[in-house]
Amino acid sequence: QVQVVESGGGLVQTGGSLRLSCAASGSIFGINDMAWYRQAPGKERELVAVIARSGRANYADSAKGRFTISRDHAKNTAYLQMNSLKPEDTAVYYCYVGVPRGPLVDPYWGQGTQVTVSS
């Protein structure tokens, strides 16, 4: 079994910064993609940023230029550095971890961490 735990959320003013962390643990022999999603009240969950095992990263348009995703393979951990935060970034942020199992990839999710940006 794999556990995913996010941390680093909180309350910040517009223009501020936060750094989210996502740590995966358990029966892990490798991780494919790691990603951050977010879900605001009344809205669907949306992809914010994803980083492949190679380190290649992709971002939602709303995150480009402000957010940076990174990962530490040795620690099975991903990070999301969020700068120039806006009230519309307010959401619960979830970490996704893709763990290979033969030809398949099992998805694992964290419980979420709340990010609130005040105007």
PDB file of all heavy atoms in Angstrom, residues 66-97:
ATOM      1  N   ARG A  66       4.088  31.423 -12.422  1.00  0.00           N
ATOM      2  CA  ARG A  66       3.923  31.702 -10.992  1.00  0.00           C
ATOM      3  C   ARG A  66       4.245  30.492 -10.122  1.00  0.00           C
ATOM      4  O   ARG A  66       4.729  30.647  -9.001  1.00  0.00           O
ATOM      5  CB  ARG A  66       2.484  32.151 -10.710  1.00  0.00           C
ATOM      6  CG  ARG A  66       2.066  33.404 -11.438  1.00  0.00           C
ATOM      7  CD  ARG A  66       0.698  33.896 -10.954  1.00  0.00           C
ATOM      8  NE  ARG A  66      -0.339  32.908 -11.186  1.00  0.00           N
ATOM      9  CZ  ARG A  66      -1.162  32.458 -10.232  1.00  0.00           C
ATOM     10  NH1 ARG A  66      -1.069  32.908  -8.994  1.00  0.00           N
ATOM     11  NH2 ARG A  66      -2.106  31.566 -10.528  1.00  0.00           N
ATOM     12  N   PHE A  67       3.930  29.305 -10.629  1.00  0.00           N
ATOM     13  CA  PHE A  67       4.131  28.081  -9.847  1.00  0.00           C
ATOM     14  C   PHE A  67       5.277  27.266 -10.440  1.00  0.00           C
ATOM     15  O   PHE A  67       5.493  27.261 -11.657  1.00  0.00           O
ATOM     16  CB  PHE A  67       2.873  27.217  -9.871  1.00  0.00           C
ATOM     17  CG  PHE A  67       1.666  27.830  -9.208  1.00  0.00           C
ATOM     18  CD1 PHE A  67       1.702  29.089  -8.626  1.00  0.00           C
ATOM     19  CD2 PHE A  67       0.476  27.112  -9.144  1.00  0.00           C
ATOM     20  CE1 PHE A  67       0.596  29.637  -8.020  1.00  0.00           C
ATOM     21  CE2 PHE A  67      -0.642  27.637  -8.538  1.00  0.00           C
ATOM     22  CZ  PHE A  67      -0.590  28.907  -7.984  1.00  0.00           C
ATOM     23  N   THR A  68       5.982  26.555  -9.576  1.00  0.00           N
ATOM     24  CA  THR A  68       7.047  25.660 -10.016  1.00  0.00           C
ATOM     25  C   THR A  68       6.906  24.331  -9.297  1.00  0.00           C
ATOM     26  O   THR A  68       6.870  24.291  -8.059  1.00  0.00           O
ATOM     27  CB  THR A  68       8.437  26.253  -9.710  1.00  0.00           C
ATOM     28  OG1 THR A  68       8.564  27.523 -10.358  1.00  0.00           O
ATOM     29  CG2 THR A  68       9.523  25.316 -10.216  1.00  0.00           C
ATOM     30  N   ILE A  69       6.829  23.255 -10.084  1.00  0.00           N
ATOM     31  CA  ILE A  69       6.772  21.921  -9.507  1.00  0.00           C
ATOM     32  C   ILE A  69       8.160  21.294  -9.574  1.00  0.00           C
ATOM     33  O   ILE A  69       8.899  21.507 -10.551  1.00  0.00           O
ATOM     34  CB  ILE A  69       5.730  21.037 -10.239  1.00  0.00           C
ATOM     35  CG1 ILE A  69       5.531  19.716  -9.495  1.00  0.00           C
ATOM     36  CG2 ILE A  69       6.123  20.809 -11.695  1.00  0.00           C
ATOM     37  CD1 ILE A  69       4.352  18.893 -10.028  1.00  0.00           C
ATOM     38  N   SER A  70       8.509  20.562  -8.542  1.00  0.00           N
ATOM     39  CA  SER A  70       9.792  19.877  -8.513  1.00  0.00           C
ATOM     40  C   SER A  70       9.625  18.576  -7.736  1.00  0.00           C
ATOM     41  O   SER A  70       8.583  18.359  -7.107  1.00  0.00           O
ATOM     42  CB  SER A  70      10.870  20.756  -7.865  1.00  0.00           C
ATOM     43  OG  SER A  70      10.520  21.080  -6.532  1.00  0.00           O
ATOM     44  N   ARG A  71      10.644  17.722  -7.792  1.00  0.00           N
ATOM     45  CA  ARG A  71      10.562  16.461  -7.062  1.00  0.00           C
ATOM     46  C   ARG A  71      11.936  16.020  -6.612  1.00  0.00           C
ATOM     47  O   ARG A  71      12.945  16.366  -7.235  1.00  0.00           O
ATOM     48  CB  ARG A  71       9.883  15.376  -7.905  1.00  0.00           C
ATOM     49  CG  ARG A  71      10.636  14.966  -9.140  1.00  0.00           C
ATOM     50  CD  ARG A  71       9.782  14.059 -10.039  1.00  0.00           C
ATOM     51  NE  ARG A  71       9.616  12.719  -9.498  1.00  0.00           N
ATOM     52  CZ  ARG A  71       8.854  11.772 -10.064  1.00  0.00           C
ATOM     53  NH1 ARG A  71       8.177  12.055 -11.175  1.00  0.00           N
ATOM     54  NH2 ARG A  71       8.755  10.574  -9.531  1.00  0.00           N
ATOM     55  N   ASP A  72      11.919  15.247  -5.540  1.00  0.00           N
ATOM     56  CA  ASP A  72      13.132  14.648  -4.990  1.00  0.00           C
ATOM     57  C   ASP A  72      12.919  13.137  -5.062  1.00  0.00           C
ATOM     58  O   ASP A  72      12.142  12.581  -4.278  1.00  0.00           O
ATOM     59  CB  ASP A  72      13.341  15.125  -3.557  1.00  0.00           C
ATOM     60  CG  ASP A  72      14.630  14.602  -2.950  1.00  0.00           C
ATOM     61  OD1 ASP A  72      15.062  13.484  -3.312  1.00  0.00           O
ATOM     62  OD2 ASP A  72      15.205  15.309  -2.093  1.00  0.00           O
ATOM     63  N   HIS A  73      13.609  12.493  -5.989  1.00  0.00           N
ATOM     64  CA  HIS A  73      13.400  11.063  -6.191  1.00  0.00           C
ATOM     65  C   HIS A  73      13.788  10.252  -4.961  1.00  0.00           C
ATOM     66  O   HIS A  73      13.114   9.280  -4.608  1.00  0.00           O
ATOM     67  CB  HIS A  73      14.208  10.586  -7.401  1.00  0.00           C
ATOM     68  CG  HIS A  73      13.701  11.103  -8.704  1.00  0.00           C
ATOM     69  ND1 HIS A  73      12.639  10.532  -9.371  1.00  0.00           N
ATOM     70  CD2 HIS A  73      14.095  12.156  -9.458  1.00  0.00           C
ATOM     71  CE1 HIS A  73      12.409  11.184 -10.497  1.00  0.00           C
ATOM     72  NE2 HIS A  73      13.280  12.194 -10.569  1.00  0.00           N
ATOM     73  N   ALA A  74      14.848  10.659  -4.319  1.00  0.00           N
ATOM     74  CA  ALA A  74      15.334   9.913  -3.160  1.00  0.00           C
ATOM     75  C   ALA A  74      14.331   9.929  -2.014  1.00  0.00           C
ATOM     76  O   ALA A  74      14.246   8.984  -1.231  1.00  0.00           O
ATOM     77  CB  ALA A  74      16.668  10.475  -2.692  1.00  0.00           C
ATOM     78  N   LYS A  75      13.556  10.995  -1.927  1.00  0.00           N
ATOM     79  CA  LYS A  75      12.589  11.140  -0.834  1.00  0.00           C
ATOM     80  C   LYS A  75      11.168  10.837  -1.278  1.00  0.00           C
ATOM     81  O   LYS A  75      10.238  10.955  -0.465  1.00  0.00           O
ATOM     82  CB  LYS A  75      12.656  12.561  -0.276  1.00  0.00           C
ATOM     83  CG  LYS A  75      13.990  12.920   0.357  1.00  0.00           C
ATOM     84  CD  LYS A  75      13.958  14.341   0.909  1.00  0.00           C
ATOM     85  CE  LYS A  75      15.282  14.700   1.561  1.00  0.00           C
ATOM     86  NZ  LYS A  75      15.264  16.089   2.098  1.00  0.00           N
ATOM     87  N   ASN A  76      10.970  10.453  -2.547  1.00  0.00           N
ATOM     88  CA  ASN A  76       9.614  10.234  -3.079  1.00  0.00           C
ATOM     89  C   ASN A  76       8.703  11.419  -2.747  1.00  0.00           C
ATOM     90  O   ASN A  76       7.560  11.252  -2.305  1.00  0.00           O
ATOM     91  CB  ASN A  76       9.016   8.941  -2.522  1.00  0.00           C
ATOM     92  CG  ASN A  76       9.697   7.706  -3.079  1.00  0.00           C
ATOM     93  OD1 ASN A  76      10.188   7.708  -4.205  1.00  0.00           O
ATOM     94  ND2 ASN A  76       9.737   6.647  -2.287  1.00  0.00           N
ATOM     95  N   THR A  77       9.219  12.590  -2.960  1.00  0.00           N
ATOM     96  CA  THR A  77       8.524  13.812  -2.572  1.00  0.00           C
ATOM     97  C   THR A  77       8.446  14.777  -3.748  1.00  0.00           C
ATOM     98  O   THR A  77       9.387  14.881  -4.538  1.00  0.00           O
ATOM     99  CB  THR A  77       9.248  14.481  -1.392  1.00  0.00           C
ATOM    100  OG1 THR A  77       9.226  13.583  -0.272  1.00  0.00           O
ATOM    101  CG2 THR A  77       8.559  15.777  -0.990  1.00  0.00           C
ATOM    102  N   ALA A  78       7.309  15.446  -3.848  1.00  0.00           N
ATOM    103  CA  ALA A  78       7.122  16.496  -4.832  1.00  0.00           C
ATOM    104  C   ALA A  78       6.799  17.790  -4.109  1.00  0.00           C
ATOM    105  O   ALA A  78       6.257  17.782  -2.995  1.00  0.00           O
ATOM    106  CB  ALA A  78       6.005  16.141  -5.812  1.00  0.00           C
ATOM    107  N   TYR A  79       7.127  18.874  -4.765  1.00  0.00           N
ATOM    108  CA  TYR A  79       6.897  20.191  -4.179  1.00  0.00           C
ATOM    109  C   TYR A  79       6.176  21.077  -5.194  1.00  0.00           C
ATOM    110  O   TYR A  79       6.301  20.884  -6.399  1.00  0.00           O
ATOM    111  CB  TYR A  79       8.228  20.861  -3.806  1.00  0.00           C
ATOM    112  CG  TYR A  79       9.097  20.026  -2.905  1.00  0.00           C
ATOM    113  CD1 TYR A  79      10.093  19.201  -3.440  1.00  0.00           C
ATOM    114  CD2 TYR A  79       8.917  20.036  -1.525  1.00  0.00           C
ATOM    115  CE1 TYR A  79      10.885  18.423  -2.625  1.00  0.00           C
ATOM    116  CE2 TYR A  79       9.718  19.259  -0.702  1.00  0.00           C
ATOM    117  CZ  TYR A  79      10.694  18.447  -1.261  1.00  0.00           C
ATOM    118  OH  TYR A  79      11.473  17.679  -0.445  1.00  0.00           O
ATOM    119  N   LEU A  80       5.444  22.032  -4.681  1.00  0.00           N
ATOM    120  CA  LEU A  80       4.830  23.044  -5.528  1.00  0.00           C
ATOM    121  C   LEU A  80       5.114  24.396  -4.904  1.00  0.00           C
ATOM    122  O   LEU A  80       4.544  24.721  -3.854  1.00  0.00           O
ATOM    123  CB  LEU A  80       3.320  22.825  -5.686  1.00  0.00           C
ATOM    124  CG  LEU A  80       2.641  23.768  -6.677  1.00  0.00           C
ATOM    125  CD1 LEU A  80       3.103  23.468  -8.100  1.00  0.00           C
ATOM    126  CD2 LEU A  80       1.116  23.652  -6.583  1.00  0.00           C
ATOM    127  N   GLN A  81       5.992  25.150  -5.528  1.00  0.00           N
ATOM    128  CA  GLN A  81       6.283  26.507  -5.074  1.00  0.00           C
ATOM    129  C   GLN A  81       5.303  27.437  -5.766  1.00  0.00           C
ATOM    130  O   GLN A  81       5.259  27.501  -6.998  1.00  0.00           O
ATOM    131  CB  GLN A  81       7.720  26.891  -5.428  1.00  0.00           C
ATOM    132  CG  GLN A  81       8.080  28.315  -5.041  1.00  0.00           C
ATOM    133  CD  GLN A  81       8.103  28.537  -3.549  1.00  0.00           C
ATOM    134  OE1 GLN A  81       8.600  27.712  -2.793  1.00  0.00           O
ATOM    135  NE2 GLN A  81       7.532  29.651  -3.108  1.00  0.00           N
ATOM    136  N   MET A  82       4.524  28.144  -4.972  1.00  0.00           N
ATOM    137  CA  MET A  82       3.499  29.032  -5.517  1.00  0.00           C
ATOM    138  C   MET A  82       3.827  30.461  -5.142  1.00  0.00           C
ATOM    139  O   MET A  82       3.892  30.792  -3.944  1.00  0.00           O
ATOM    140  CB  MET A  82       2.124  28.642  -4.978  1.00  0.00           C
ATOM    141  CG  MET A  82       1.746  27.194  -5.253  1.00  0.00           C
ATOM    142  SD  MET A  82       0.049  26.803  -4.786  1.00  0.00           S
ATOM    143  CE  MET A  82       0.158  26.983  -3.017  1.00  0.00           C
ATOM    144  N   ASN A  83       4.042  31.286  -6.143  1.00  0.00           N
ATOM    145  CA  ASN A  83       4.342  32.696  -5.932  1.00  0.00           C
ATOM    146  C   ASN A  83       3.246  33.563  -6.532  1.00  0.00           C
ATOM    147  O   ASN A  83       2.441  33.092  -7.336  1.00  0.00           O
ATOM    148  CB  ASN A  83       5.691  33.045  -6.568  1.00  0.00           C
ATOM    149  CG  ASN A  83       6.841  32.259  -5.980  1.00  0.00           C
ATOM    150  OD1 ASN A  83       6.855  31.942  -4.795  1.00  0.00           O
ATOM    151  ND2 ASN A  83       7.830  31.951  -6.810  1.00  0.00           N
ATOM    152  N   SER A  84       3.239  34.825  -6.153  1.00  0.00           N
ATOM    153  CA  SER A  84       2.260  35.788  -6.688  1.00  0.00           C
ATOM    154  C   SER A  84       0.850  35.223  -6.605  1.00  0.00           C
ATOM    155  O   SER A  84       0.088  35.260  -7.585  1.00  0.00           O
ATOM    156  CB  SER A  84       2.613  36.137  -8.141  1.00  0.00           C
ATOM    157  OG  SER A  84       3.915  36.667  -8.229  1.00  0.00           O
ATOM    158  N   LEU A  85       0.495  34.727  -5.454  1.00  0.00           N
ATOM    159  CA  LEU A  85      -0.801  34.081  -5.296  1.00  0.00           C
ATOM    160  C   LEU A  85      -1.946  35.071  -5.428  1.00  0.00           C
ATOM    161  O   LEU A  85      -1.826  36.247  -5.057  1.00  0.00           O
ATOM    162  CB  LEU A  85      -0.859  33.371  -3.947  1.00  0.00           C
ATOM    163  CG  LEU A  85      -0.097  32.037  -3.920  1.00  0.00           C
ATOM    164  CD1 LEU A  85       0.189  31.598  -2.486  1.00  0.00           C
ATOM    165  CD2 LEU A  85      -0.877  30.958  -4.661  1.00  0.00           C
ATOM    166  N   LYS A  86      -3.043  34.555  -5.966  1.00  0.00           N
ATOM    167  CA  LYS A  86      -4.243  35.355  -6.205  1.00  0.00           C
ATOM    168  C   LYS A  86      -5.421  34.718  -5.466  1.00  0.00           C
ATOM    169  O   LYS A  86      -5.404  33.509  -5.197  1.00  0.00           O
ATOM    170  CB  LYS A  86      -4.549  35.386  -7.701  1.00  0.00           C
ATOM    171  CG  LYS A  86      -3.408  35.850  -8.577  1.00  0.00           C
ATOM    172  CD  LYS A  86      -3.773  35.701 -10.057  1.00  0.00           C
ATOM    173  CE  LYS A  86      -2.621  36.099 -10.967  1.00  0.00           C
ATOM    174  NZ  LYS A  86      -2.986  35.931 -12.405  1.00  0.00           N
ATOM    175  N   PRO A  87      -6.453  35.501  -5.185  1.00  0.00           N
ATOM    176  CA  PRO A  87      -7.633  34.912  -4.520  1.00  0.00           C
ATOM    177  C   PRO A  87      -8.204  33.721  -5.296  1.00  0.00           C
ATOM    178  O   PRO A  87      -8.714  32.777  -4.688  1.00  0.00           O
ATOM    179  CB  PRO A  87      -8.612  36.079  -4.475  1.00  0.00           C
ATOM    180  CG  PRO A  87      -7.737  37.292  -4.412  1.00  0.00           C
ATOM    181  CD  PRO A  87      -6.562  36.960  -5.282  1.00  0.00           C
ATOM    182  N   GLU A  88      -8.115  33.740  -6.613  1.00  0.00           N
ATOM    183  CA  GLU A  88      -8.648  32.630  -7.405  1.00  0.00           C
ATOM    184  C   GLU A  88      -7.819  31.357  -7.288  1.00  0.00           C
ATOM    185  O   GLU A  88      -8.213  30.306  -7.810  1.00  0.00           O
ATOM    186  CB  GLU A  88      -8.791  33.020  -8.879  1.00  0.00           C
ATOM    187  CG  GLU A  88      -7.557  33.655  -9.494  1.00  0.00           C
ATOM    188  CD  GLU A  88      -7.613  35.171  -9.481  1.00  0.00           C
ATOM    189  OE1 GLU A  88      -7.995  35.761  -8.432  1.00  0.00           O
ATOM    190  OE2 GLU A  88      -7.246  35.785 -10.511  1.00  0.00           O
ATOM    191  N   ASP A  89      -6.682  31.423  -6.612  1.00  0.00           N
ATOM    192  CA  ASP A  89      -5.902  30.219  -6.323  1.00  0.00           C
ATOM    193  C   ASP A  89      -6.432  29.485  -5.088  1.00  0.00           C
ATOM    194  O   ASP A  89      -5.963  28.386  -4.772  1.00  0.00           O
ATOM    195  CB  ASP A  89      -4.427  30.573  -6.101  1.00  0.00           C
ATOM    196  CG  ASP A  89      -3.756  31.114  -7.352  1.00  0.00           C
ATOM    197  OD1 ASP A  89      -3.994  30.567  -8.444  1.00  0.00           O
ATOM    198  OD2 ASP A  89      -2.994  32.103  -7.227  1.00  0.00           O
ATOM    199  N   THR A  90      -7.373  30.094  -4.400  1.00  0.00           N
ATOM    200  CA  THR A  90      -7.947  29.465  -3.220  1.00  0.00           C
ATOM    201  C   THR A  90      -8.626  28.149  -3.587  1.00  0.00           C
ATOM    202  O   THR A  90      -9.484  28.108  -4.476  1.00  0.00           O
ATOM    203  CB  THR A  90      -8.962  30.397  -2.558  1.00  0.00           C
ATOM    204  OG1 THR A  90      -8.280  31.563  -2.074  1.00  0.00           O
ATOM    205  CG2 THR A  90      -9.669  29.710  -1.403  1.00  0.00           C
ATOM    206  N   ALA A  91      -8.208  27.079  -2.937  1.00  0.00           N
ATOM    207  CA  ALA A  91      -8.734  25.744  -3.244  1.00  0.00           C
ATOM    208  C   ALA A  91      -8.096  24.736  -2.296  1.00  0.00           C
ATOM    209  O   ALA A  91      -7.156  25.066  -1.558  1.00  0.00           O
ATOM    210  CB  ALA A  91      -8.417  25.355  -4.689  1.00  0.00           C
ATOM    211  N   VAL A  92      -8.628  23.525  -2.342  1.00  0.00           N
ATOM    212  CA  VAL A  92      -7.938  22.409  -1.714  1.00  0.00           C
ATOM    213  C   VAL A  92      -6.999  21.817  -2.765  1.00  0.00           C
ATOM    214  O   VAL A  92      -7.436  21.516  -3.886  1.00  0.00           O
ATOM    215  CB  VAL A  92      -8.924  21.339  -1.210  1.00  0.00           C
ATOM    216  CG1 VAL A  92      -8.152  20.162  -0.607  1.00  0.00           C
ATOM    217  CG2 VAL A  92      -9.877  21.931  -0.179  1.00  0.00           C
ATOM    218  N   TYR A  93      -5.750  21.678  -2.405  1.00  0.00           N
ATOM    219  CA  TYR A  93      -4.739  21.165  -3.327  1.00  0.00           C
ATOM    220  C   TYR A  93      -4.454  19.706  -2.999  1.00  0.00           C
ATOM    221  O   TYR A  93      -4.175  19.355  -1.846  1.00  0.00           O
ATOM    222  CB  TYR A  93      -3.470  21.998  -3.226  1.00  0.00           C
ATOM    223  CG  TYR A  93      -3.596  23.331  -3.933  1.00  0.00           C
ATOM    224  CD1 TYR A  93      -4.431  24.327  -3.428  1.00  0.00           C
ATOM    225  CD2 TYR A  93      -2.918  23.587  -5.119  1.00  0.00           C
ATOM    226  CE1 TYR A  93      -4.569  25.541  -4.092  1.00  0.00           C
ATOM    227  CE2 TYR A  93      -3.041  24.802  -5.785  1.00  0.00           C
ATOM    228  CZ  TYR A  93      -3.880  25.772  -5.258  1.00  0.00           C
ATOM    229  OH  TYR A  93      -4.023  26.973  -5.920  1.00  0.00           O
ATOM    230  N   TYR A  94      -4.532  18.879  -4.025  1.00  0.00           N
ATOM    231  CA  TYR A  94      -4.341  17.437  -3.873  1.00  0.00           C
ATOM    232  C   TYR A  94      -3.103  16.990  -4.644  1.00  0.00           C
ATOM    233  O   TYR A  94      -2.860  17.443  -5.765  1.00  0.00           O
ATOM    234  CB  TYR A  94      -5.546  16.673  -4.419  1.00  0.00           C
ATOM    235  CG  TYR A  94      -6.840  16.940  -3.686  1.00  0.00           C
ATOM    236  CD1 TYR A  94      -7.707  17.947  -4.085  1.00  0.00           C
ATOM    237  CD2 TYR A  94      -7.193  16.162  -2.578  1.00  0.00           C
ATOM    238  CE1 TYR A  94      -8.889  18.185  -3.422  1.00  0.00           C
ATOM    239  CE2 TYR A  94      -8.385  16.393  -1.905  1.00  0.00           C
ATOM    240  CZ  TYR A  94      -9.227  17.405  -2.335  1.00  0.00           C
ATOM    241  OH  TYR A  94     -10.400  17.636  -1.671  1.00  0.00           O
ATOM    242  N   CYS A  95      -2.404  16.058  -4.057  1.00  0.00           N
ATOM    243  CA  CYS A  95      -1.240  15.482  -4.713  1.00  0.00           C
ATOM    244  C   CYS A  95      -1.619  14.135  -5.322  1.00  0.00           C
ATOM    245  O   CYS A  95      -2.292  13.319  -4.685  1.00  0.00           O
ATOM    246  CB  CYS A  95      -0.103  15.296  -3.716  1.00  0.00           C
ATOM    247  SG  CYS A  95       1.390  14.566  -4.427  1.00  0.00           S
ATOM    248  N   TYR A  96      -1.183  13.926  -6.545  1.00  0.00           N
ATOM    249  CA  TYR A  96      -1.361  12.662  -7.252  1.00  0.00           C
ATOM    250  C   TYR A  96      -0.003  11.988  -7.423  1.00  0.00           C
ATOM    251  O   TYR A  96       0.980  12.655  -7.798  1.00  0.00           O
ATOM    252  CB  TYR A  96      -1.988  12.908  -8.625  1.00  0.00           C
ATOM    253  CG  TYR A  96      -1.797  11.754  -9.588  1.00  0.00           C
ATOM    254  CD1 TYR A  96      -2.729  10.722  -9.648  1.00  0.00           C
ATOM    255  CD2 TYR A  96      -0.682  11.692 -10.417  1.00  0.00           C
ATOM    256  CE1 TYR A  96      -2.544   9.661 -10.518  1.00  0.00           C
ATOM    257  CE2 TYR A  96      -0.493  10.633 -11.285  1.00  0.00           C
ATOM    258  CZ  TYR A  96      -1.425   9.625 -11.335  1.00  0.00           C
ATOM    259  OH  TYR A  96      -1.239   8.569 -12.187  1.00  0.00           O
ATOM    260  N   VAL A  97       0.031  10.703  -7.180  1.00  0.00           N
ATOM    261  CA  VAL A  97       1.259   9.928  -7.365  1.00  0.00           C
ATOM    262  C   VAL A  97       0.919   8.702  -8.205  1.00  0.00           C
ATOM    263  O   VAL A  97      -0.004   7.957  -7.867  1.00  0.00           O
ATOM    264  CB  VAL A  97       1.856   9.487  -6.011  1.00  0.00           C
ATOM    265  CG1 VAL A  97       3.078   8.602  -6.227  1.00  0.00           C
ATOM    266  CG2 VAL A  97       2.223  10.699  -5.173  1.00  0.00           C
TER     267      VAL A  97
END
